[in-house]
Amino acid sequence: MAREMAWDDIKALEALLTPAGASEDDPTFAPKGKPIVTPASIGHEHSKGKHEAEKPEQVDPDFEVGDKYGRLQPEYEILYNQSVSANDVYFQMSGKDPSSLSCDTMVLRVKLPQTESVNDIKLEVKPIYIKLSSPIYFLALYLPHSVEANKSSAKWEMDKETIVVTMPIIRETFI
């Protein structure tokens, strides 16, 4: 029958395992081997070389974070489109899933109330970011996926006062 160890039993075991004359502060009896992993040791500076996708050269120096003229940030949403056939839906044999990794295009819908004309809107699409400006609104954001900027298209929905930007997603090949 097993019994629980009392405090005195634990101290007796410690005395038995600790060499004579050793103290708790003695560095020769500190644990050796791999360093201890703590929450503070997890992060970008501790994992150099592991994340190849995070390259500082992907940040564009022309990208403006904020608006220097005090314009409002419009309401926007990012949607994903996926080309699927009946075989994909019913047989699920193509390997596509509902995640954004299987999507073909990214659609950015930006609501621009009080915008009178599409000529008032300036739109700049780059592979990693998009900038939109008008006399009232300013939007600059990095995209969650790289896109083909030269194959992107925009459509103005006048009745909804919304611009819809459709951007084909660049898929990287995995080896």
Side-chain angles (χ1 to χ4, degrees):
M1 177 185 278
R3 70 175 185 92
E4 293 183 21
M5 292 182 75
W7 179 254
D8 295 333
D9 295 333
I10 294 173
K11 287 309 237 177
L13 183 60
E14 179 186 22
L16 182 67
L17 296 175
T18 305
S23 68
E24 292 179 4
D25 299 330
D26 191 0
T28 58
F29 296 106
K32 294 179 181 157
K34 291 184 178 180
I36 297 173
V37 177
T38 65
S41 67
I42 299 172
H44 184 67
E45 62 272 358
H46 295 284
S47 59
K48 290 181 180 151
K50 292 183 182 177
H51 300 287
E52 297 297 326
E54 298 174 345
K55 295 179 182 175
E57 60 268 7
Q58 284 187 346
V59 177
D60 193 332
D62 296 331
F63 184 75
E64 300 171 27
V65 176
D67 181 31
K68 54 187 170 189
Y69 301 111
R71 293 175 284 189
L72 302 173
Q73 179 175 335
E75 183 180 330
Y76 68 92
E77 64 181 340
I78 297 175
L79 306 168
Y80 295 96
N81 287 340
Q82 193 177 86
S83 299
V84 293
S85 66
N87 289 336
D88 297 325
V89 175
Y90 296 110
F91 300 125
Q92 298 177 356
M93 295 178 67
S94 68
K96 290 187 177 185
D97 60 13
S99 73
S100 65
L101 292 175
S102 297
C103 293
D104 304 315
T105 58
M106 185 177 358
V107 178
L108 176 68
R109 299 180 57 83
V110 184
K111 294 182 182 179
L112 301 167
Q114 302 173 356
T115 302
E116 297 174 7
S117 170
V118 71
N119 296 330
D120 294 341
I121 301 169
K122 182 182 175 191
L123 181 66
E124 182 180 354
V125 179
K126 297 287 182 179
I128 58 171
Y129 71 87
I130 189 166
K131 280 198 283 189
L132 182 142
S133 61
S134 75
I136 303 171
Y137 298 101
F138 180 79
L139 176 67
L141 65 112
Y142 279 101
L143 299 169
H145 299 283
S146 296
V147 298
E148 294 183 48
N150 55 349
K151 293 184 181 178
S152 300
S153 63
K155 184 175 104 177
W156 174 249
E157 297 177 349
M158 185 176 279
D159 57 332
K160 297 178 184 176
E161 296 179 319
T162 302
I163 189 164
V164 180
V165 184
T166 305
M167 302 164 280
I169 297 173
I170 297 173
R171 290 288 165 220
E172 297 171 6
T173 56
F174 295 105
I175 298 174

